[in-house]
Structures are given as structure tokens and as C-alpha cells.
Amino acid sequence: MNDMHTHFSASHRAVLDWYQSLNPDRLQLLPLFYHPEACFKDPFNEVQGHAAITRIFAHMFETTQQPRFVVLEQVTQGAQLFVTWDFHFGLRGKDYTIHGCSRMLFDAEGKITLHRDYWDPAEELWQKLPLLGGVIAWLRRRFQAR
């Protein structure tokens, strides 16, 4: 049991280091961390496999300026890793930060089989955009319990 815990801890550290240093050139290392049939889901995507997951990150580099992840906290429970993070990026000359968390499930070889990102696009992104911000703020006020 202790060997497995150490194995998973090393895998967890390696993948978090990779995420925090992610750039277009380092995308090619994704197969070192993800099982070939891994599932990835976030508020905009639900895909499976190396090629599809790589496309999501490649798209991130194509559509944002200087994107980077900063890991804030991590909790390991057996083969699961829970992480809170900040995603910093630029969009049309303005800086943004998205706060979120991820749940990753690892197989016996230490590769991610399931990666699910949780964050609120309305609060973390749409509300901050010029055209949508006012509408989202109005909707939040309208549905807020008083």
C-alpha cells in the first residue's frame, strides 16, 4: 500500500509540474501523463483520448495570450487527486483569472484516466466580458435569493 501511495504521489507531482509549465512545445508530453483512452471534461468540452485532449490545450494557446495554471492546493486520496488552481490568461489585451478545481483519477501505472475541471463560466468568464457582463450581472441579481 505504501509503495502505491508513493507511486501515485510521484505521478501527481509530475502532472502538476507539467501543468504549471505548460506551453505549446510541452503539449507533446501529454501521453506521459494521460492514459490513451483518458476522458477530459470541463464546462465547454467532453472528450476522450490523447488527440482530443491535446486539441483542447492547443486551442487554449491559439485563443488566449500567455495562458498559465497556478496550483493553489492539492489533496490526494488513493488514486484520486483534487486540485484547486488559478488559470491566468490574456484576451484581447485584457488580463483574466479563472478560479477552479480539478478531479483526476489515476490508473495503476500512474496515468490519468479521468480529468474533470470544475469552474463557473458565468462568474469566472462571461460576467467579466464587456458585452455579456451586464446581462450576466442582471441575471445573477434577478435569481438571487433575498
Side-chain angles (χ1 to χ4, degrees):
M1 182 76 171
N2 192 21
D3 289 340
M4 184 175 270
H5 178 71
T6 303
H7 176 71
F8 283 124
S9 294
S11 298
H12 296 172
R13 276 192 303 277
V15 76
L16 294 180
D17 289 345
W18 178 71
Y19 263 102
Q20 292 188 104
S21 63
L22 194 56
N23 63 43
D25 294 334
R26 292 180 56 83
L27 275 180
Q28 67 186 340
L29 300 177
L30 185 134
L32 297 176
F33 305 106
Y34 284 82
H35 183 276
E37 298 300 317
C39 295
F40 176 93
K41 183 173 179 162
D42 68 12
F44 300 113
N45 304 281
E46 186 168 2
V47 300
Q48 185 173 3
H50 288 163
I53 297 169
T54 299
R55 274 195 304 275
I56 289 170
F57 290 112
H59 182 260
M60 173 188 76
F61 285 110
E62 293 165 6
T63 58
T64 64
Q65 292 120 21
Q66 299 178 329
R68 66 186 174 90
F69 292 94
V70 176
V71 172
L72 304 174
E73 296 176 300
Q74 57 187 310
V75 176
T76 299
Q77 183 180 29
Q80 295 184 85
L81 174 63
F82 297 89
V83 180
T84 60
W85 43 259
D86 283 344
F87 174 55
H88 302 276
F89 64 99
L91 190 61
R92 295 185 179 144
K94 187 173 178 191
D95 293 331
Y96 294 92
T97 300
I98 292 175
H99 306 288
C101 64
S102 300
R103 175 183 179 246
M104 298 175 196
L105 184 61
F106 290 74
D107 66 12
E109 284 78 44
K111 297 211 176 181
I112 298 168
T113 58
L114 173 67
H115 178 159
R116 174 100 190 246
D117 284 349
Y118 297 92
W119 58 278
D120 179 0
E123 179 180 352
E124 298 295 336
L125 183 60
W126 297 336
Q127 187 171 301
K128 299 173 184 175
L129 297 176
L131 295 177
L132 291 176
V135 174
I136 298 297
W138 178 82
L139 285 170
R140 283 189 173 287
R141 286 190 306 274
R142 177 86 171 109
F143 292 104
Q144 183 178 43
R146 298 192 195 284

